[in-house]
Amino acid sequence: MEQGTPLSPPAAENIADKSQERTLEPEHFPSRRRTFDMRVVVLTLLAAAIGVAAGGAAILLLKLIGFITNLSFYGRLSTSFVSPAANQLGLLVVVVPVIGGVLVGLMARYGSEAIRGHGIPEVMLSILRNQSRIPPRVGVLKPISTAIAIGTGCPFGAEGPIIVTGGAIGSFVGQFLSTTAEERKILLSAGAAAGMSATFGSPVSGVLLAVELLLFEFRPRSLIPVAVASAMAAALRKVSGAAWPMFPMHQLQTSGMAALASYTLIGAIVGLASVGATRAVYAVEDTFAKMPIHWMWWPAMGGLVVGIVGYILPETMGVGYVNIVRIFSGSLTEKALIMLCMLKFVSWAVALGSGTSAGTLAPLFVMGGALGAALGGGANLLFPQFGIDLRIAGIVGMAAMFAGASRALLTSIVFAFETTLQPLGLLPLLSGSSAAYMVSSLLMRTTLMTEKVVRKGVFVPSEYTADFLAQMLVRDVASREVVSLGEHLTLAEVRSRIAEGRPGSNYQGFPVLNDSGQLIGVVTRRDLLDPARMPTELVGELTIKNHAVIFEDNTLSEANELMVSEGVGRLPVVDHDNQRKVIGIISRRDIMSANHRRIEQEYERQRGIRW
């Protein structure tokens, strides 16, 4: 028998022209993948409420940080957001961060160990390993512990804990409403984006942060709720009277080609520094882990270093938003910039490595901005004709440090623009941040955000590409030579033909046709060869009537999902106009072969490149 001919006698071509004979029940077909439905509308409404709640939590946290800072360094009761740098404590300033470290250690040990760290890796871990579930007590203890750490002088920002708190709000809502893991991820990411937006007044970069570090996808069903939540939080921040933009600057000038090349080089150097900073943090963390002291006391030890550095340079203590404004104003000397960058790094690396509760974006911005401005000042001394603007160099350094440490490239660029509202800085930001991103990607397998997650044995997606199987249709790979069985064949006849090794006899399933050539179902090889079945039984009696089928314009992704959900390895391909007419067959092997060809083509392309 020729390949592709049925194991049964040729079927008649005349098909009865009755609708019930030409159509199958709806459950036979794959569900078309939809990117938007009413469920997204519900998620968006929930995300809007989460955005408001996260924005409110951000405002409260900033006030709590202000209260603890005023109490710790100035002995007064006030919620105004101030820097610890103007304190008059003298040597007593060394003790304040130690007390804060002790309190944070106690909260971590007897409250929840999950409050340790700078927030974003913990949120990523909850998404990748815990189905986007964040315990409510973490959402409460994290901001309080961070307020204590920052309020007592630790060189961190409030954004990480606010992201955790916003994510916890979204996660809790998702758990309360019994949503799916994917929907909880969207709500969690919406809360996290709202936290970022409420802290810095940067709604677009809040969305991009969620996409690049939390969602691991770019689809309407996730973007819309996250964007709405971020917008609501930003609006609440503006209504509260917070500064807008976060880091105001005087109008910038257009950069020439020489200056643009310099900013690109500055970005690359800052990117190299971000690699060193990331490795230093985890080296410090590993050093603490080797100490014969319970981890509860590590934050206090880190606080001691913070206090000593703070005594030498008080500007290193606290969130340092004022330092960023000063960097962007161009008012700091070269020496002051270098001192701020180096001592802030020492204080930040030791404190973060000690496992205290913190947010790490603000210190990255301070260190990157100071280093970028210092490099710009040095370049101006060597090449004054380039016309390098120290303010632009500072902006590029800030974004490049974050891009290199996190590999959230788009977030870094848009964040720097949103917090300064300087459109003429976009071109230097784009080139400088991209250079930092490239250097980081070449030199470091993980990032500041993902190293901790990877160490726990969890894979973190780093590239978001379109699903290849969703770009190919069934018609592109399905076999047109269908091996089918007639419903009136006996098992004895079929077993005889299988034993003869006729084409298709090794298949695990066969379409079953009636005398008119219409599909009535499928039969499995296991049933055909089941020794408990009598040889005189007819194939039609074993046929599975409600077996799934697929159309030729379905995607391979839909075919693959249908095979998994039905637990089958082959699907009949049927005609749209006559759903009982089999026009092909598609198997798992066909799908795997299509993907294999894609991989081979990619390898061939790479092998063909010669540098």
Side-chain angles (χ1 to χ4, degrees):
M1 180 176 291
E2 297 294 331
Q3 170 68 34
T5 58
L7 296 180
S8 62
E13 292 295 333
N14 56 323
I15 301 176
D17 191 17
K18 297 180 181 179
S19 60
Q20 65 270 23
E21 295 179 351
R22 301 173 65 88
T23 60
L24 299 171
E25 296 299 323
E27 59 265 22
H28 281 246
F29 307 113
S31 57
R32 291 285 186 174
R33 181 176 294 174
R34 300 183 63 184
T35 58
F36 196 93
D37 54 26
M38 287 303 297
R39 187 71 176 175
V40 180
V41 177
V42 175
L43 290 176
T44 302
L45 295 175
L46 292 173
I50 290 169
V52 173
I59 294 172
L60 290 176
L61 176 57
L62 293 175
K63 289 186 176 296
L64 181 58
I65 292 173
F67 175 78
I68 297 175
T69 302
N70 279 285
L71 184 63
S72 301
F73 291 94
Y74 304 104
R76 63 195 179 203
L77 300 179
S78 173
T79 59
S80 60
F81 201 77
V82 296
S83 170
N87 74 84
Q88 302 296 320
L89 295 178
L91 276 173
L92 287 177
V93 75
V94 176
V95 180
V96 178
V98 176
I99 296 174
V102 171
L103 295 175
V104 170
L106 289 170
M107 292 181 65
R109 182 171 185 180
Y110 298 106
S112 174
E113 189 178 347
I115 67 173
R116 303 175 69 216
H118 55 90
I120 295 178
E122 289 73 25
V123 175
M124 296 173 70
L125 197 59
S126 71
I127 290 174
L128 296 170
R129 194 169 71 174
N130 201 31
Q131 296 187 323
S132 301
R133 292 187 176 94
I134 298 179
R137 64 175 177 174
V138 174
V140 175
L141 292 176
K142 183 68 175 180
I144 295 175
S145 61
T146 300
I148 293 173
I150 297 175
T152 54
C154 280
F156 301 121
E159 66 289 328
I162 292 176
I163 287 172
V164 173
T165 302
I169 294 172
S171 175
F172 178 73
V173 171
Q175 294 174 66
F176 180 77
L177 296 178
S178 300
T179 54
T180 65
E182 284 295 312
E183 291 171 339
R184 279 196 303 277
K185 181 178 75 170
I186 293 171
L187 295 178
L188 184 155
S189 300
M196 175 82 166
S197 178
T199 306
F200 294 109
S202 54
V204 180
S205 57
V207 176
L208 292 174
L209 178 81
V211 170
E212 293 187 296
L213 296 181
L214 302 177
L215 285 170
F216 311 114
E217 66 179 22
F218 197 90
R219 290 197 280 180
R221 69 164 194 174
S222 55
L223 281 179
I224 293 171
V226 170
V228 168
S230 188
M232 295 298 291
L236 184 63
R237 182 183 191 276
K238 193 168 186 178
V239 170
S240 70
W244 199 294
M246 183 75 172
F247 310 126
M249 297 178 61
H250 295 297
Q251 189 65 37
L252 300 176
Q253 300 298 318
T254 304
S255 302
M257 288 300 296
L260 183 60
S262 301
Y263 299 139
T264 305
L265 180 59
I266 288 173
I269 296 173
V270 174
L272 183 63
S274 73
V275 174
T278 300
R279 290 177 175 170
V281 165
Y282 286 101
V284 171
E285 185 175 293
D286 292 339
T287 301
F288 272 105
K290 296 175 183 177
M291 291 184 178
I293 302 173
H294 194 280
W295 58 258
M296 181 186 76
W297 302 108
W298 297 353
M301 298 170 64
L304 179 61
V305 175
V306 170
I308 294 172
V309 174
Y311 177 73
I312 299 171
L313 186 65
E315 286 78 8
T316 60
M317 305 184 80
V319 293
Y321 297 152
V322 174
N323 293 329
I324 298 176
V325 175
R326 294 175 65 193
I327 292 169
F328 291 170
S329 69
S331 62
L332 295 180
T333 65
E334 190 80 2
K335 180 180 179 180
L337 289 169
I338 294 173
M339 287 289 291
L340 177 61
C341 180
M342 293 178 60
L343 292 179
K344 185 79 173 182
F345 165 72
V346 172
S347 180
W348 166 77
V350 174
L352 187 60
S354 71
T356 192
S357 181
T360 196
L361 300 190
L364 286 175
F365 298 150
V366 173
M367 292 184 295
L371 179 58
L375 291 171
N380 260 342
L381 292 176
L382 296 174
F383 309 102
Q385 67 273 22
F386 286 3
I388 298 172
D389 190 327
L390 299 188
R391 299 171 300 165
I392 296 180
I395 298 175
V396 170
M398 178 182 76
M401 181 64 79
F402 183 47
S406 68
R407 305 233 184 98
L409 175 63
L410 297 179
T411 303
S412 305
I413 296 169
V414 175
F415 173 84
F417 167 69
E418 285 189 297
T419 53
T420 60
L421 293 184
Q422 294 295 324
L424 294 180
L426 278 173
L427 192 56
L429 282 170
L430 184 61
S431 62
S433 298
S434 297
Y437 184 87
M438 179 182 66
V439 170
S440 174
S441 299
L442 286 171
L443 299 180
M444 192 164 55
R445 185 174 65 90
T446 57
T447 69
L448 183 65
M449 308 300 173
T450 62
E451 175 69 18
K452 181 178 292 187
V453 181
V454 171
R455 287 186 176 194
K456 293 183 179 294
V458 179
F459 171 74
V460 182
S462 59
E463 296 181 356
Y464 316 134
T465 58
D467 182 5
F468 170 75
L469 297 181
Q471 302 174 55
M472 291 192 68
L473 300 181
V474 169
R475 69 163 65 99
D476 299 325
V477 301
S479 173
R480 300 295 175 175
E481 299 176 342
V482 183
V483 178
S484 59
L485 297 176
E487 64 174 330
H488 296 301
L489 281 175
T490 65
L491 293 187
E493 293 175 295
V494 175
R495 290 170 179 173
S496 173
R497 297 177 185 186
I498 289 177
E500 294 173 5
R502 296 193 184 187
S505 59
N506 61 335
Y507 292 165
Q508 300 303 308
F510 303 91
V512 179
L513 310 181
N514 61 16
D515 292 339
S516 300
Q518 295 175 307
L519 177 69
I520 63 172
V522 299
V523 65
T524 67
R525 179 187 179 89
R526 176 181 296 178
D527 287 337
L528 293 173
L529 299 180
D530 186 356
R533 300 283 186 179
M534 298 298 296
T536 55
E537 290 187 64
L538 300 180
V539 169
E541 298 172 1
L542 307 181
T543 299
I544 303 171
K545 306 292 185 182
N546 60 346
H547 190 273
V549 297
I550 200 160
F551 296 122
E552 61 179 351
D553 60 352
N554 280 114
T555 66
L556 295 190
S557 179
E558 291 169 333
N560 186 57
E561 290 179 3
L562 186 59
M563 288 180 187
V564 172
S565 63
E566 295 288 326
V568 298
R570 297 169 65 81
L571 291 171
V573 184
V574 297
D575 186 78
H576 268 291
D577 297 328
N578 183 358
Q579 297 168 2
R580 292 187 180 275
K581 179 181 180 182
V582 180
I583 58 177
I585 197 87
I586 185 170
S587 66
R588 284 201 190 101
R589 181 184 294 273
D590 296 327
I591 297 175
M592 292 174 63
S593 296
N595 200 33
H596 180 69
R597 286 196 298 272
R598 176 190 66 84
I599 295 172
E600 278 192 331
Q601 290 171 0
E602 178 64 19
Y603 284 158
E604 286 295 332
R605 184 191 68 79
Q606 294 178 4
R607 285 196 293 266
I609 296 175
R610 295 291 183 268
W611 295 98

